[in-house]
Amino acid sequence: MNERDSEMISSQLQCAGYELTDNEKIADVVILNTCSVREQAEIKALGKAGYLARRKRINPNFKIGIVGCMAENFGEKLFKLNGAIDFVIGPKRLHELVNVLESNGQSLHIGDPQRQHFSHDFDRKLGKNKCTAFLSIMHGCNMRCTYCVVPKTRGNEQYRPMEDIVGEAEFLAGNGIREITLLGQIVNNYGGRLMPMIDGKTPFVQLLERLNVLPGIERIRYMSPHPQNFSDDLILAHKNLSKLCPSVHLPIQSGSNRILAAMRRPYTSDRILTIVAKLRKAIPSVGISTDIIVGYPGETEKDFEETVALFDIAKFNMAFIFKYSPREGTRSAELVDDVEESEKERRNQILLQRVQKASLRYHQQFLGKTMEVLVEGHARRGTDMMFGWTPNHCKVLFKASENDIGKISPVQIDSSTTTILSGTVMKNAQGKSLVQR
Ligand code: SAH
Ligand code: SF4
């Protein structure tokens, strides 16, 4: 989501006549788009702002902006922590950026805006040779998971009209984009109760169906769904919609029903196993990954073991493991953060090892097989080593040329590690890739 917001920031500024540079040292303005989900991300952003402040002593016209969730979370405090910061803009007010840049002095823009905006209010400037894009379909979150700062920083759910989303997808398809990833904090809650069910299908599935028939778009992904709303129509959509990729990132957070209840996650480990089983039955090749938090207040060894067991039984092929980080303003921040840092680290390491083994096992089943890969770009600048992703979200390295970017090529898998597959593009007698779309 932050990546999409950063793209919107840069598009907005380019439309106003600013030029994007990849050399921070010559920039007149540096904007840090920040994340508040864990403390570590905030510490990093503050460190970076401190480093940038030194440049301001040499060039007083140089501007530093902090935007995104940390701007919302810290507000005015940021100016006290670093007097060199010029402006602070929260995620709901990013559309004010151009005006803010043109004014002088320190300024703070957080809270709800006078005029509601969505990131697509601005022309999208797509980078050169881009064939994949994020597409925000909603903002905010109505859940109140006890540990999570997102509802505080991004507010309640708001859905983009379906027409606008389809229109943006058409624009993307017309500009070389072959794969779209729909974004939302609970993406499968799109439409909520504001949009009707039609023929027993949720608004999210209705949207998927409309996107599935768009010429030019070859692949559709989405991030992140919530287990509570993972309804049967979505599982059926995976089976029936040819462009919907067989890959699901389904954050579980914990395998202990006690901890799930404490976190206010409204499901149990059984519900996770049911969804996973239904998904695998509908699409045997599906890749399923997850997010897990270790060391939530009160998490005992038994709770943790239940999480490890759920990870193993569900056979997730990948997971992001997070050590619990208390966030000011959340409910769990009022609890004692009683799992020692060393214990959080131990649990983290145990799960990481499990994840690595599971990923390797998952990857190894593709050795010798030919997989369809969307060629995305150079793996290393200036070489013919390219990278791309398979429909079930495995990253693949292979030799190809720049002309292949945006094409779906068949790649025979020769080797694998925990994180990546390597292979060879299969060509016909004319030297063309066998699959071209
Ligand atoms: N909306 C998504 C999650 C968005 S935040 C969902 O509900 O699934 C991305 C991930 O960050 C979460 O899945 C969670 O695993 C992690 N996370 C959020 N708050 C955290 C905290 N306070 N400490 C550690 N990890 C956290
Ligand atoms: Fe945060 Fe929970 Fe909303 Fe996800 S569902 S963004 S974890 S409050």
Side-chain angles (χ1 to χ4, degrees), residues 145-176:
C145 303
T146 52
Y147 52 82
C148 183
V149 78
V150 170
K152 178 180 165 198
T153 57
R154 289 190 179 256
N156 279 341
E157 274 178 11
Q158 285 176 352
Y159 318 112
R160 282 181 69 184
M162 212 178 280
E163 287 311 316
D164 286 9
I165 300 169
V166 174
E168 190 173 346
E170 280 169 342
F171 165 81
L172 292 171
N175 284 276

Side-chain angles (χ1 to χ4, degrees), residues 29-40:
V29 186
V30 172
I31 299 168
L32 302 181
N33 187 17
T34 57
C35 173
S36 281
V37 163
R38 278 158 294 132
E39 191 186 16
Q40 201 52 38

Side-chain angles (χ1 to χ4, degrees), residues 2 5-10 12-13 29-36 41-42 45 49 64-75 78-79 85-98 100-101 107-110 153-154:
N2 269 25
D5 284 349
S6 295
E7 196 202 285
M8 182 270 274
I9 289 167
S10 106
Q12 195 186 149
L13 292 183
V29 186
V30 172
I31 299 168
L32 302 181
N33 187 17
T34 57
C35 173
S36 281
E42 291 183 338
I64 307 170
I66 306 277
V67 305
C69 286
M70 199 178 158
E72 194 72 32
N73 207 19
F74 276 61
L78 282 169
F79 297 125
I85 294 170
D86 293 278
F87 56 90
V88 169
I89 312 179
K92 287 178 273 177
R93 297 181 57 169
L94 286 174
H95 58 294
E96 295 171 21
L97 183 60
V98 172
V100 172
L101 262 180
S107 63
L108 177 70
H109 310 262
I110 58 173
T153 57
R154 289 190 179 256

Side-chain angles (χ1 to χ4, degrees), residues 411-424:
V411 178
Q412 191 178 60
I413 306 303
D414 307 324
S415 65
S416 70
T417 69
T418 53
T419 51
I420 211 155
L421 299 171
S422 302
T424 315

Side-chain angles (χ1 to χ4, degrees), residues 37 140-151 157 185-186 224 226 251 253 263-265 293:
V37 163
C141 181
N142 288 352
M143 295 298 232
R144 295 292 179 265
C145 303
T146 52
Y147 52 82
C148 183
V149 78
V150 170
E157 274 178 11
Q185 288 301 343
I186 303 187
S224 293
H226 193 290
Q253 314 303 356
M263 287 174 165
R264 287 191 161 198
R265 297 282 292 187
I293 298 177

Side-chain angles (χ1 to χ4, degrees), residues 2 15 39 78 80 85 142 147 184 206 208 266 285 347 358 396:
N2 269 25
C15 288
E39 191 186 16
L78 282 169
K80 294 202 183 90
I85 294 170
N142 288 352
Y147 52 82
Q206 295 165 35
L208 290 173
S285 66
R347 294 178 189 178
V396 187

Side-chain angles (χ1 to χ4, degrees), residues 349-395:
Q349 288 304 328
I350 290 174
L351 269 171
L352 279 179
Q353 280 177 16
R354 286 293 225 270
V355 173
Q356 283 178 359
K357 269 197 191 144
S359 300
L360 188 62
R361 211 180 312 123
Y362 184 70
H363 278 160
Q364 279 173 341
Q365 67 178 301
F366 303 117
L367 286 174
K369 302 224 163 91
T370 300
M371 301 176 89
E372 284 190 6
V373 179
L374 174 61
V375 186
E376 281 198 32
H378 291 276
R380 264 166 255 120
R381 234 185 246 191
T383 71
D384 60 355
M385 200 42 105
M386 310 294 274
F387 78 96
W389 295 81
T390 64
N392 55 340
H393 215 231
C394 297
K395 192 173 183 181

